[in-house]
Amino acid sequence: HDAPDIEFHKKVNRRLFENCDLVHVHSHDVGEYLSREYRFNADQIHVMPHGHYSDYYGRRIVRAEARKMLGIPGDAPVLLNFGNLKRYKGLEAALRAFRQCQNDQLYFLIAGKPSDAAMREYLEKAGEQDPRLILKLGELKRNEVAPLFSAADAFIFPSRFFLTSGSAMLALTFGVPVIAPARFHLAEFENKTFFQAWTPDAPERQIAVMENLPAWLKQVDDREFSWFRETFSWEKVSADFARRLKQSQ
C-alpha cells in the first residue's frame, strides 16, 4: 500500500498471477478487486477467510489490572490502535477526530512500531499535548499484547488502504468491538453489533463515532464474539479450503 514505485509492483504482480493456477484471498470482494486490477480469470480465485488468533497471544486479563499497568483510569472509555504505525493507515485522521470530540473522558491507546522517525516524532509530540493519549511505541513482545486489548473498550482501524486487517481479527479474538471501514473482508461484519463503520473521508462522522462510543458499546451483543470464534476457527476455515482444493484438481 505504501510501495515507492506502485506501477513496478503492479507489473510484477501481474507476472506472478500469470503463473498461478489458484489465487487465495480472504474475501470475495478482495478476489473481485484483484481479478479486475490484475486481469486474471475470476475462476482461479479460492476464498479462505483469515482465521482468529485463538490463545496465541494469551488470554484476556482483568481490565482493572491491565489499565493499572498502562496508567489508564479504570472507568474511562478507551480506544486502541495496534500494529505497525504507518502514515497510510489513517492514524492522523483518527487523532484529529479524537482531539475534536466532546468526550473529554475518552482515552486513546496507541501501541506498535512507528514506520519511521517522523512518525515517532509526530506521535510523541501529540502525546505531550494530550495526557489522554497513551503511547506504547516500539516492538512489542507476545506477552505484552493481551494487556493492551484487555484494557481497551474498542479497537479502531482507520486505514483507507487495505485488503485484510489481521489486527482487527486479533481485536475480535479478544472480544473487543471494532471500528473500521466496512470494506473487503471487514464488510462481512457490517451487520454485527460489535462492528462500527468508520468513514475515512467524513471528519464529522468520525467525531460522532468517538463521541457516541459509550452508547454504542452498551448495544454490543457479547454472544456475537462466540459466533466469531466458531466461524473463524482455523480448523474450520482450513478444512473448507482443503475441500475446495481437492475439488479443483
Side-chain angles (χ1 to χ4, degrees), residues 126-157:
E128 292 171 0
Q129 295 170 351
D130 193 335
R132 298 174 304 139
L133 180 59
I134 307 298
L135 303 176
K136 192 169 179 60
L137 305 180
E139 294 280 358
L140 296 169
K141 297 178 181 178
R142 189 193 300 185
N143 62 1
E144 294 180 286
V145 174
L148 296 171
F149 286 90
S150 301
D153 291 301
F155 175 82
I156 184 166
F157 178 73

Side-chain angles (χ1 to χ4, degrees), residues 177 192-194 216-227:
K192 297 297 181 183
T193 63
F194 60 51
W216 166 52
L217 292 173
K218 291 179 181 178
Q219 300 173 12
V220 174
D221 185 349
D222 289 341
R223 292 174 296 182
E224 291 179 350
F225 293 112
S226 297
W227 166 85

Side-chain angles (χ1 to χ4, degrees), residues 180-183 185-197:
R183 301 186 63 211
H185 80 122
L186 296 180
E188 182 167 352
F189 305 132
E190 192 169 11
N191 295 322
K192 297 297 181 183
T193 63
F194 60 51
F195 186 85
Q196 179 80 266

Side-chain angles (χ1 to χ4, degrees), residues 16-33:
L16 174 65
F17 286 128
E18 287 172 2
N19 288 280
C20 293
D21 297 306
L22 299 173
V23 178
H24 161 228
V25 295
H26 288 140
S27 74
H28 291 285
D29 288 349
V30 171
E32 291 175 2
Y33 166 77

Side-chain angles (χ1 to χ4, degrees), residues 27-201:
S27 74
H28 291 285
D29 288 349
V30 171
E32 291 175 2
Y33 166 77
L34 290 177
S35 64
R36 290 195 307 270
E37 185 76 9
Y38 295 106
R39 305 169 197 159
F40 62 86
N41 193 329
D43 294 339
Q44 294 174 254
I45 295 170
H46 280 239
V47 176
M48 183 182 81
H50 190 305
H52 64 60
Y53 286 86
S54 185
D55 297 322
Y56 179 79
Y57 289 102
R59 295 178 178 270
R60 286 184 66 99
I61 64 175
V62 176
R63 188 175 77 161
E65 180 182 340
R67 292 193 172 189
K68 184 177 180 180
M69 292 168 61
L70 295 164
I72 301 174
D75 57 350
V78 177
L79 274 176
L80 169 66
N81 179 269
F82 169 90
N84 289 321
L85 306 176
K86 298 185 176 183
R87 295 255 173 200
Y88 78 84
K89 291 188 174 184
L91 188 53
E92 292 175 53
L95 277 170
R96 283 195 296 270
F98 170 69
R99 293 193 194 100
Q100 295 177 55
C101 79
Q102 297 300 309
N103 185 353
D104 59 5
Q105 302 299 311
L106 180 65
Y107 275 67
F108 197 170
L109 172 59
I110 298 177
K113 183 179 180 180
S115 57
D116 51 44
M119 188 62 171
R120 175 180 287 274
E121 182 180 356
Y122 166 77
L123 291 171
E124 289 176 343
K125 185 174 294 185
E128 292 171 0
Q129 295 170 351
D130 193 335
R132 298 174 304 139
L133 180 59
I134 307 298
L135 303 176
K136 192 169 179 60
L137 305 180
E139 294 280 358
L140 296 169
K141 297 178 181 178
R142 189 193 300 185
N143 62 1
E144 294 180 286
V145 174
L148 296 171
F149 286 90
S150 301
D153 291 301
F155 175 82
I156 184 166
F157 178 73
S159 183
R160 179 192 300 272
F161 306 108
F162 71 98
L163 297 180
T164 298
S165 170
S167 57
M169 299 297 283
L170 179 58
L172 294 174
T173 301
F174 276 106
V176 178
V178 167
I179 301 168
R183 301 186 63 211
F184 297 123
H185 80 122
L186 296 180
E188 182 167 352
F189 305 132
E190 192 169 11
N191 295 322
K192 297 297 181 183
T193 63
F194 60 51
F195 186 85
Q196 179 80 266
W198 176 264
T199 309
D201 297 313

